Amino acid sequence: MKILNLVFFLMVFHFGFSQENLNFDQPKEVVSPEIHGDNTVTFRLLAPTAKQVRIESDFLPASSSGKGSAEFKKGADGIWVYTSASLPSELYSYNFVVDGLRMLDPNNAFLIRDVSTIVNIFLIGNGKAEMYQTKNIPHGTVSRRWYDSPTLKLNRRLTVYTPPGYEASNETYPTLYLLHGAGGDEEAWIALGRTAQILDNLISQKKAKPMLVVMTNGNASQSAAPGESSAPMIKPVFLQPDMFSGNTEKAYPDVVAFIESNYRVKKDKANRAIAGLSMGGMHSLVISANNPDMFDYVGVFSSAQLQPKDAIAEVYANFDQKIKNQKAKGFKLYWIAIGKDDFLFRQSNEFRAKLDSIGFKYTYKETLGGHSWSNWRDYLVEFAPMLFK
Amino acid sequence: MKILNLVFFLMVFHFGFSQENLNFDQPKEVVSPEIHGDNTVTFRLLAPTAKQVRIESDFLPASSSGKGSAEFKKGADGIWVYTSASLPSELYSYNFVVDGLRMLDPNNAFLIRDVSTIVNIFLIGNGKAEMYQTKNIPHGTVSRRWYDSPTLKLNRRLTVYTPPGYEASNETYPTLYLLHGAGGDEEAWIALGRTAQILDNLISQKKAKPMLVVMTNGNASQSAAPGESSAPMIKPVFLQPDMFSGNTEKAYPDVVAFIESNYRVKKDKANRAIAGLSMGGMHSLVISANNPDMFDYVGVFSSAQLQPKDAIAEVYANFDQKIKNQKAKGFKLYWIAIGKDDFLFRQSNEFRAKLDSIGFKYTYKETLGGHSWSNWRDYLVEFAPMLFK
């Protein structure tokens, strides 16, 4: 029996794993990002032969040509360095651009996919982004599960958050159905939206009731997120073939039926909420208008009533009559939130004008910012506590 | 009410999302990787000002200095191109190196993290890697759930695969506990190991019995994978403080107790298996030797008996006596698999010699290759069908 020397063990593993995926090229001293006590952040990249290194990030003011950008400075050691201003609490995303080529920070293993683009992330705490952090509190369970949609004739994947204590309890729970925007899928709200962390924190602080959150795939032609279905692993695209057909809205009762026959949930209007961002906000308002006995709570984040061309008539026709009917049937909360800089701001105003014209009562929240996950996370933090009270 | 023009919608979304993370810099015609009908693969990168572009991948023969590498050629359009030989069926990983700087393929959104290194992946089907593909068959559920470890005094995260039909059934199921290697965590087997796809396929083909697979975190000081706990989001490291202390092995019965009081599983030795790769193989053999009434099936993948310095005496002491006891108590399968090029090959031989010397019956599988996920996926494909028969 050998006494294992850890240094030797590391060496041999080092060699062994270098056949695999591990990267020992970046010297240990390259730390990036480094978040300082004053919430400035230093980014570093070892690139001795590069001529220009930039960072693109949502913490930098956007230019007319797109994302905000800032220049690194090269040190004598070949390490390029950039330090940000002191940043407000937020979950930020960024990438580097080296001699014109977009790349990720090789020293940051934390990434999120947004459609086909991968970005690095980092989190500045001590403020609103505390809600996006995993804390030492009870945690819900996050499951990826498949359900049959008879309407779409597809077996499909969804993400279900069950609150802390769900499994051991005999209680029944209310359910929030949470819908992504164009380009997203059943991974979007859990990854970019930090739904599990937000719900864990809200529930632990007794700001929200324990609830299930069901995150569906709103692309009616897809079984699952890219890479998670039997479809080829090709580059995810922003526009899906069946995105604006109305099929997602038409088939949504399949999801509700699946959840209510497979989870210990309350099966009445008072215990169902639906909310979505952008395309998912449009889906939410259409689904709730088509099923006026289904949801007492509706959230429309950064969206409006948008009538796609060629959408299924039975789903999209007679919308004005449907919302009159929805008003007559009653509901507890119809919450509309949008940022002043959102490109759908005008359409949102027009939608609210229509609701006003028929005396349809909604709650309106106007925020700073645009069509961004920063806003959508905030909206979830504000919306979830208003549910099921 | 506006009739939405999809082209306009795309334009405005395009603008709206460009404040976010989407990247429209790479023209659409850059497809990478492109898998051809003959299983050659073309990789492309638009990099007009680059001087040298290489690919590093496990499909290329490894050099003495590490991973296999090949050169791209630059086209007149600024797009660098490399086409591989015809590749055997496998899940491959790769990255690019541009003028000495490691980067990912910006046109491939499919990635896996291996400790702190991110790699792109692609899959060549029509062979063994068919088992790693999501097929149009019934799918199990994959849950990330938290459990209390009284021994470690930690609330910890694990990944549970429940087989297709589990939720709707009244049956009880057997359980495979599946352990990762050094540098891994509760995400390793599901992401790099393709456990869900492999089990879905084996169960659908009636090669394996429906079973739960519980993928634990073998770093006793960690609550959860990097980025999934309340620990700071710093670069994941290969060696964890409490990795070779014996605490993982000592605390493992906490996991079994949690699973058996929270899932509909069979609670006897005949219906429990434990297997692991590398460090996890060492954990598996130590846990099964310390708990000779717990597991009828043990899998030791690319590992051996390795005695860490300073490990907890009660767990690591008297190993020879413990395996004699394990032999006396009996078991159904003790499966040892290792590649001829594995850096632990000699240690594996020494371990088997020790087992031989006491007449401890095991099944030995010697394969090609080394300490690699390619082998570990194969071992799971071969091991799971032998369980619970």
Side-chain angles (χ1 to χ4, degrees), chain A residues 350-375:
Chain A
E350 287 167 2
F351 177 53
R352 288 187 295 109
K354 171 182 287 186
L355 295 180
D356 290 337
S357 74
I358 62 164
F360 188 110
K361 288 242 162 43
Y362 56 84
T363 305
Y364 178 57
K365 171 86 183 187
E366 194 171 289
T367 67
L368 298 174
H371 211 73
S372 73
W373 276 104
S374 170
N375 271 346

Side-chain angles (χ1 to χ4, degrees), chain A residues 24-291:
Chain A
F24 296 94
D25 295 346
Q26 288 278 336
K28 271 190 185 162
E29 64 268 28
V30 179
V31 175
S32 182
E34 183 182 2
I35 300 170
H36 305 288
D38 60 355
N39 290 348
T40 61
V41 183
T42 298
F43 302 86
R44 296 183 181 90
L45 179 72
L46 176 67
T49 65
K51 294 198 172 55
Q52 191 202 42
V53 178
R54 291 189 293 119
I55 182 171
E56 293 180 335
S57 178
D58 48 7
F59 70 74
L60 293 159
S63 73
S64 57
S65 63
K67 224 182 277 192
S69 171
E71 297 265 341
F72 280 63
K73 279 193 180 153
K74 188 179 182 179
D77 51 2
I79 298 176
W80 295 73
V81 180
Y82 168 76
T83 298
S84 76
S86 179
L87 299 178
S89 181
E90 182 56 272
L91 178 69
Y92 293 102
S93 64
Y94 71 101
N95 59 263
F96 293 163
V97 181
V98 179
D99 295 338
L101 201 59
R102 184 190 185 279
M103 63 173 281
L104 294 170
D105 180 348
N107 289 294
N108 183 350
F110 302 103
L111 310 166
I112 293 179
R113 177 180 64 83
D114 196 350
V115 194
S116 67
T117 302
I118 313 291
V119 286
N120 287 114
I121 57 167
F122 68 98
L123 193 146
I124 300 285
N126 294 316
K128 73 170 200 173
E130 293 289 319
M131 296 304 287
Y132 318 152
Q133 283 185 321
T134 304
K135 303 281 186 185
N136 279 324
I137 54 175
H139 301 292
T141 298
V142 177
S143 301
R144 271 73 170 190
R145 190 164 168 189
W146 294 72
Y147 74 101
D148 279 318
S149 172
T151 307
L152 298 177
K153 297 183 176 58
L154 277 179
N155 188 236
R156 308 187 81 229
R157 189 169 179 263
L158 45 70
T159 302
V160 181
Y161 169 89
T162 49
Y166 170 85
E167 293 93 343
S169 147
N170 291 316
E171 280 177 55
T172 56
Y173 293 83
T175 306
L176 165 61
Y177 296 87
L178 197 53
L179 282 63
H180 64 80
D185 52 55
E186 75 276 15
E187 297 292 329
W189 264 109
I190 204 79
L192 293 147
R194 308 284 288 183
T195 302
Q197 290 84 358
I198 289 170
L199 267 288
D200 281 354
N201 283 310
L202 288 174
I203 292 168
S204 171
Q205 295 169 22
K206 302 203 182 303
K207 289 180 181 162
K209 284 205 166 182
M211 66 181 83
L212 273 72
V213 185
V214 177
M215 290 155 272
T216 43
N217 182 316
N219 310 306
S221 62
Q222 269 188 350
S223 283
E228 301 291 346
S229 76
S230 60
M233 287 168 65
I234 55 171
K235 196 172 179 175
V237 293
F238 185 74
L239 281 182
Q240 299 292 327
D242 204 6
M243 192 173 247
F244 299 108
S245 64
N247 273 322
T248 289
E249 299 90 318
K250 184 180 173 189
Y252 214 83
D254 291 353
V255 176
V256 177
F258 171 78
I259 293 297
E260 297 193 350
S261 60
N262 283 276
Y263 289 86
R264 217 170 46 255
V265 291
K266 296 190 163 81
K267 305 177 186 182
D268 60 339
K269 186 176 179 179
N271 287 288
R272 294 191 202 106
I274 189 166
L277 70 91
S278 194
M279 179 183 79
M282 179 184 91
H283 287 164
S284 297
L285 69 85
V286 171
I287 293 164
S288 70
N290 276 278
N291 300 278

Side-chain angles (χ1 to χ4, degrees), chain B residues 241-302:
Chain B
D242 204 5
M243 192 173 249
F244 298 109
S245 64
N247 273 323
T248 290
E249 299 91 316
K250 184 180 173 188
Y252 214 82
D254 291 353
V255 177
V256 178
F258 171 78
I259 294 297
E260 297 193 351
S261 60
N262 283 277
Y263 289 87
R264 217 170 47 254
V265 291
K266 296 190 162 80
K267 304 177 187 184
D268 60 338
K269 186 175 179 178
N271 287 289
R272 293 190 202 107
I274 188 166
L277 71 92
S278 194
M279 179 182 79
M282 178 184 92
H283 287 164
S284 296
L285 68 85
V286 171
I287 293 164
S288 69
N290 276 278
N291 301 278
D293 298 319
M294 203 172 268
F295 302 100
D296 251 349
Y297 302 87
V298 179
V300 179
F301 304 169
S302 301

Side-chain angles (χ1 to χ4, degrees), chain A residues 1-6 9, chain B residues 244-246 249 282 285-286 290 304-320 322 347 354:
Chain A
M1 188 177 76
K2 302 276 169 196
I3 297 297
L4 182 71
N5 177 306
L6 279 189
F9 197 70
Chain B
F244 298 109
S245 64
E249 299 91 316
M282 178 184 92
L285 68 85
V286 171
N290 276 278
Q305 187 211 348
L306 303 165
Q307 178 86 8
K309 266 185 182 171
D310 311 320
I312 298 169
E314 68 190 82
V315 176
Y316 274 86
N318 305 319
F319 183 77
D320 294 5
K322 283 173 182 166
Q347 289 88 338
K354 170 181 285 184

Side-chain angles (χ1 to χ4, degrees), chain B residues 25 44 59 121 146 151 170 182 185 213 215 294 315 366 375:
Chain B
D25 296 344
R44 296 183 181 90
F59 70 75
I121 57 168
W146 293 73
T151 307
N170 291 315
D185 51 55
V213 185
M215 290 154 272
M294 203 172 268
V315 176
E366 194 171 288
N375 271 344

